[in-house]
Amino acid sequence: MPDNSSRKAPPLSRAQREVMELIWDAGEASVQEITEKLNEQRPVARNTVRTLMERMEAKGWLAHRSEGRSFIYSATVPREESLGQRVKDMVEKACGGNPEKLMMALLDYRGLSEEEAERIRKMLDEEKGKS
């Protein structure tokens, strides 16, 4: 998988993100395989999926290799990097750049188990030790 950590891929639409999740789960997949997976949830045309995946490749999210007459697509952006970008955007846009607001929303609307809270405390302590 190419290393795209030096550049930020453009954001994905909701439908493209759904395709991306399937590709991350599978490792690699053809348009037909993704179409079949999506059709388990709702009807979607193969040409629609092909267009989505071609646009995602143009945005830098996917790469393909040929296998016979089919293209096999794989992710060029790791799932973790995508999540990090989304969280950063959420803090900037929805929380006015204040990460405390994100944590308060998490606590107020979802809550944390004691185990989750302990893991977060440990991560914060480790991060504090780095500075």
Side-chain angles (χ1 to χ4, degrees), residues 56-105:
M56 293 165 67
E57 185 173 24
K59 286 182 173 185
W61 286 89
L62 297 176
H64 77 267
R65 64 178 173 81
S66 296
E67 190 173 281
R69 292 176 31 172
S70 296
F71 286 172
I72 306 299
Y73 289 88
S74 59
T76 59
V77 178
R79 182 180 260 149
E80 296 76 20
E81 181 180 327
S82 171
L83 180 59
Q85 288 177 3
R86 290 175 63 198
V87 170
K88 181 180 175 190
D89 289 345
M90 186 184 317
V91 169
E92 294 303 315
K93 293 175 184 169
C95 301
N98 186 342
E100 290 175 30
K101 289 182 181 179
L102 178 64
M103 287 305 300
M104 289 308 300

Side-chain angles (χ1 to χ4, degrees), residues 19 22-35 37 53 62-65 70-75:
V19 168
L22 293 172
I23 290 176
W24 280 321
D25 289 345
E28 62 178 17
S30 67
V31 169
Q32 184 62 37
E33 292 167 329
I34 296 298
T35 302
K37 283 284 189 193
M53 292 173 75
L62 297 176
H64 77 267
R65 64 178 173 81
S70 296
F71 286 172
I72 306 299
Y73 289 88
S74 59

